[in-house]
Amino acid sequence: MFINKCLLRFARDCRGPIARLCSIELLSVALATLISLLIAFLVQMLLGKTRILCFTSVWEIIPIIFVLVVIRASIVKQKNVASAKCGIKVKDSLRVQMLNKLFALGPAYTATKRTGNIGTMFVSKIEWLKNYYSIYAPAAVATFVNSLLLIIVIACFDVPTALVCVVAFVGLFFCPMTFYKIMKERGDAEWEANSQYYSDCLDSIQGLTTLKAFNADEKQRQKMHCAGENLRQKVMSLLKITMIETGVLEFLVRLGSAASIVVAVSRFLDGYIEPDGLIYTLFLVTACFVPMLTLSNSWHIGYKGVTGAYSLRAFLDEPQKRSLNSADIGEQSAFSAEFTGSIVFDHVSFSYDKNEGDVLKNVSFEIPNKSMMALVGASGSGKSTIAHLLAGFYPAESGVIRVGNMELTRENISPIRDLISAVWQDNHIFYGTVYDNILIGKPEATMDEVIAAAKESNIHDFIQSLPEGYNTLLGEQGVRFSGGERQRIALARAFLRDAPVVIFDEATSSLDRRNEIEIQKSLKMLREEKTVLVIAHRLETIRDADRICIMDAGEVKACGTHEELLHSSALYNRLVGYQLA
Ligand SMILES: Nc1ncnc2c1ncn2[C@@H]1O[C@H](COP(=O)(O)OP(=O)(O)OP(=O)(O)O)[C@@H](O)[C@H]1O
Ligand SMILES: [Mg+2]
């Protein structure tokens, strides 16, 4: 029987629905057995028996059989409903656990995985587990209990016949385990191919514009074809072994049933079983083997449940070394922490991958409370990495980051995150209305607050000009809006959030000069109340900052005002020179 510790652990939150489903399944199998027994009584009576238990005529038995058949049909209906409900509950519970874990692992995890891989895990593997709990487990439990009880009853009539049933019973429940290793190897290979195929599909859809622009559709089609062919081979290879396994099991069960009947009849002919006993034995053997036969056809659901549970456990037990997030997102604190200090990076070093060396080297700076600091420097010099560390996406490897009087640690990340609002280089626009997308900044905000934020980011007039205003549907990833419009939506979110620390990572890079000037005005007001970290390539955007730090190859080379740097930093002068040129 396919069961393991992980499966028991995942079932913890859904014990009620699973137990209910198992009971209904058991009842349905028990009713089928009872009907078989009554038919045996009926046959006995037709053969001349005048009294069995309290029955004295076939007309007393036939109506009961009819009623039981009707009851069983209604129980089967209830079973299907309970199975669907149980499946939904299992999926809900697992998805919540996985989402919690994914949020806890954060960008440090997703940056190392293909979206398609994570997507298939959320869809397919959860579906496997759902089928395990809502189809296989109840059938296995009911068959196990029913067969065990019937074998005991058969043993009362004839022990050798019962022993043959025991052999088939043991074979049905334990034979699949002998195929487990080879199934696992092929199953893993199929899973790998499936994830790759799905990820490639997603890549093709997301990169459609680029592929078209470079006339690279044919190459991508070939790539997809190879991935599809690889998947087909892996599926067929798994199917082959699945069919052999199902065939072997079905053969075993049918052989067991035939052998039990042959043994029972020969024992009758040898005089060990009474004629009555033979009739009962034959009906009981049938009642014992029919559910076994049904189970033998759904054993692969059990196998998928076991493998799905292993990989889900591997994901849920993934160590959070590279993440600062709390594992329990329910613990997030209210938006209440009062920010009264500065932001300090004290000798911070960091690498995404140890083998590739440090991306930040001994970085130290301070952003005083209610001031604006800008980071400038060449592409790849580590500016966004500093912002990512401040937002708690990754933990610093050495050194200390302080926000106000709090050190950025796993324990503090939740209240610190409440203090921070950010606009990134690549902001995600969710499928939904303009209003929903801005509201992400502060879900409890009123319409007036949303409008005020949109005005600050200079997008209100544009939204008003749309036929459905704030209710306009933004396509997936905001495709219906221009890059600059999307950026202003992201800015509106940040303004709405109204957090005391603001990070702008190239937040105005897609805007035209007129829009940027308007937003600069909002920024000027912002810096009087907030601590702001701005990252920008355009020096025009940051020349008014209280302090500008210039980065090069992961190090802070110089800090000062625009004028000070012009006098003291050759690197800064070079940057200014490039921009003028
Ligand atoms: N998730 C990641 N995994 C591995 N390396 C990364 C990751 N993100 C960034 N890097 C590397 O870290 C270095 C610093 O990247 P970062 O994004 O901080 O640069 P940046 O100064 O913001 O550049 P830009 O001005 O182009 O945005 C780069 O060499 C980059 O390749
Ligand atoms: Mg960057």
Side-chain angles (χ1 to χ4, degrees), residues 107 111 352-353 356 359-360 377-386 388 394 425 505-506 535 537:
Y352 288 101
D353 182 341
E356 289 174 12
V359 170
L360 295 183
S379 184
S381 56
K383 305 180 295 295
S384 295
T385 304
I386 287 183
H388 289 168
Y394 301 88
Q425 259 174 311
D505 185 356
E506 294 292 353
I535 298 169
H537 281 293

Side-chain angles (χ1 to χ4, degrees), residues 135-200:
I135 299 172
Y136 175 80
V141 168
T143 307
F144 191 86
V145 175
N146 178 68
S147 303
L148 210 60
L149 290 177
L150 286 182
I151 288 172
I152 293 170
V153 178
I154 293 170
C156 297
F157 289 102
D158 186 50
V159 173
T161 309
L163 284 178
V164 177
C165 296
V166 167
V167 172
F169 175 79
V170 171
L172 174 72
F173 281 98
F174 298 98
C175 175
M177 301 321 286
T178 56
F179 279 75
Y180 185 75
K181 193 161 170 274
I182 183 163
M183 287 291 304
K184 180 153 174 21
E185 274 166 20
R186 297 195 184 188
D188 286 351
E190 191 234 81
W191 176 251
E192 186 85 6
N194 184 26
S195 302
Q196 189 183 336
Y197 187 66
Y198 183 69
S199 301
D200 285 349

